[in-house]
Amino acid sequence: MRAFTFKGGIHPREMKELSNQCPITAAFPSSKTVTIPVTMGGAPNTPLVQVGDLVAKGQVIANGDKFMNCPVHSSVSGKVKKIAKCLVTGNSEVPCIIIEADDENRTAFMEPLDPFTCEHDAALARIRDAGIVGMGGASFPAHVKLNPPEDKEIEYVLVNAAECEPYLTCDERTMQESPEKLIDGLAIILHLVGAAGIIALEDNKAFIKPILEEEIAKKGYGDDMTVRLVKTKYPQGSEKFIVSACLGVEIPSAKLPADAGCIISNVGTVCAISDAFRLGMPLIERSLTISGGAVEKPCNLRVPVGTLVSDLMPEFFTLKENQTCKVVSGGPMMGFAMISADFPIAKGTSGVTFLTEKETYLDDEDQCISCGGCVHVCPMRLNPVLMIRELKAANTKKAKRYGLMDCIECGSCAFVCPAHIRLVQRIRLGKSIVRTQMAEERSKAAAAQAAANATGGAK
Ligand code: SF4
Ligand code: SF4
């Protein structure tokens, strides 16, 4: 079987064997409390509940009236204890609704809806009402993604089942344990956008291909869906590279997959769409992998959204004594290093990795030896060493010209650098400086415009 791929990339140790034999197990926080961020993708929401309110599982607790708003639901039946800023992925503090579960199991799910007979707008409304966002990490609202502008003709829906981040295996387990849900969710999406479907699997998961193909054949979707193997290579799961590996099309700088005629959805997102129609269940729980060398028994869990990672210990996993050197929300390549495990599992949290010193050890930085390794592996075909040189000289304009803002922060360059230069960290910092500069320029321009309007008005 031929596996497709993209140019560049690296082969970090996969470490999937730590958890890929562990079935997804239902878990509940030991404190019986969930900390649900008011916004988890899309435009900022406003809380719709107050401290002391009783809420049902599946009840909308935060929302907004803009097209980009994506509602947030209570993942438990319980009482609102607090609305306060809490630590979330990325180490920022954002407004969260803290709910203590009771034993009453009140639910407020929607009625099931037939996706193949309902109106197109009703189907999109269902996806929005269910609060579905991209569950691979980006958390982009699904109702927006599945409603592309009229001038963008969508030919393919790609299910991103690459799961190229080391350690993470929850998508792999989902496809094995619930192939019928994935195929159903994909059929719903294909019906909605009128396209063909491709499920893109890395070839380290080739054994899942016949499982999915059997399900496709059973449902009679053989003309509409195919399963395609792509090479096991990091960062294969990045949107641009899934498209180039599967379709041989390159998405130009600053363009989206829709510009290349595709929509990309993660495995969890596709399954959540099936649940939203078939069960009327909003996105209130998700599967994730808990792994890393510091975890006693890595595992795959299904938890209510808002569960604090620390609240899963010691009942569902434990840490080796004095071994944790770094806690990462996500995988080690593109995840966020966290200051503690007291953060909630959000809709976009696909895993948490607890890494040992050996797994995170970085040698001291040396001088660049101009080996070109970073250029060779960069999947975006950038020149990291040149960008760094300009950033060091505080020349952000030139760094931008070298493609600074196109960097997807995959870390491949830093991974191969024999001089251990913290390339990706510096690029990340450079990008945030540029963003600040751009915001300042925008506010200056707005102030100048306001002043000009005021002067014009006074004449
Ligand atoms: S420059 Fe950016 S996109 Fe290229 S390898 Fe480095 S982190 Fe990845
Ligand atoms: S990989 Fe490191 S040492 Fe080699 S050119 Fe790039 S920055 Fe320099």
Side-chain angles (χ1 to χ4, degrees), residues 205-226:
K205 294 180 270 294
F207 67 95
I208 296 176
K209 190 170 185 270
I211 301 174
L212 298 178
E213 285 174 340
E214 192 188 323
E215 191 62 35
I216 291 170
K218 206 158 79 186
K219 293 279 162 56
Y221 294 143
D223 292 341
D224 306 319
M225 296 180 194
T226 49

Side-chain angles (χ1 to χ4, degrees), residues 368-374 385 417-419 421 423:
C368 171
I369 56 167
S370 302
C371 65
C374 54
V385 71
C417 178
I421 298 170
L423 291 160

Side-chain angles (χ1 to χ4, degrees), residues 255-454:
K255 295 281 178 189
L256 296 169
D259 295 302
C262 5
I263 285 175
I264 303 171
S265 255
N266 161 274
V267 169
T269 315
V270 176
C271 291
I273 286 175
S274 170
D275 284 342
F277 285 90
R278 306 301 185 185
L279 310 176
M281 185 173 92
L283 179 43
I284 54 170
E285 52 182 49
R286 71 153 298 147
S287 302
L288 83 161
T289 303
I290 305 281
S291 192
V295 179
E296 204 67 69
K297 278 190 192 146
C299 53
N300 286 297
L301 301 175
R302 188 154 184 88
V303 302
V305 166
T307 299
L308 292 186
V309 177
S310 52
D311 256 356
L312 294 168
M313 292 185 273
E315 201 178 338
F316 298 99
F317 75 95
T318 51
L319 297 175
K320 295 175 186 165
E321 213 177 326
N322 298 326
Q323 291 288 303
T324 307
C325 187
K326 196 174 183 184
V327 184
V328 183
S329 174
M333 296 301 293
M334 288 182 97
F336 294 89
M338 298 297 296
I339 51 175
S340 84
D342 294 328
F343 66 92
I345 292 155
K347 294 178 183 180
T349 313
S350 47
V352 182
T353 37
F354 293 82
L355 302 172
T356 61
E357 192 176 354
K358 200 170 151 209
E359 289 170 311
T360 51
Y361 182 75
L362 284 176
D363 280 314
D364 289 341
E365 282 190 333
D366 250 321
Q367 290 289 325
C368 171
I369 56 167
S370 302
C371 65
C374 54
V375 181
H376 182 70
V377 299
C378 177
M380 294 299 292
R381 299 191 212 150
L382 304 174
N383 190 326
V385 71
L386 280 185
M387 291 193 292
I388 297 298
R389 198 173 296 164
E390 296 308 330
L391 288 174
K392 258 189 185 168
N395 194 343
T396 46
K397 250 191 195 164
K398 222 165 168 189
K400 259 165 73 184
R401 231 180 291 144
Y402 285 133
L404 179 72
M405 303 314 275
D406 285 335
C407 168
I408 57 164
E409 301 175 22
C410 68
S412 301
C413 50
F415 183 82
V416 296
C417 178
H420 318 294
I421 298 170
R422 315 287 191 258
L423 291 160
V424 69
Q425 288 89 336
R426 292 183 184 195
I427 289 171
R428 217 173 259 164
L429 185 65
K431 283 172 77 175
S432 79
I433 292 170
V434 169
R435 281 197 201 103
T436 311
Q437 285 171 346
M438 283 159 68
E440 278 169 9
E441 275 162 26
R442 273 197 304 272
S443 63
K444 264 189 207 159
Q449 184 64 50
N453 291 347

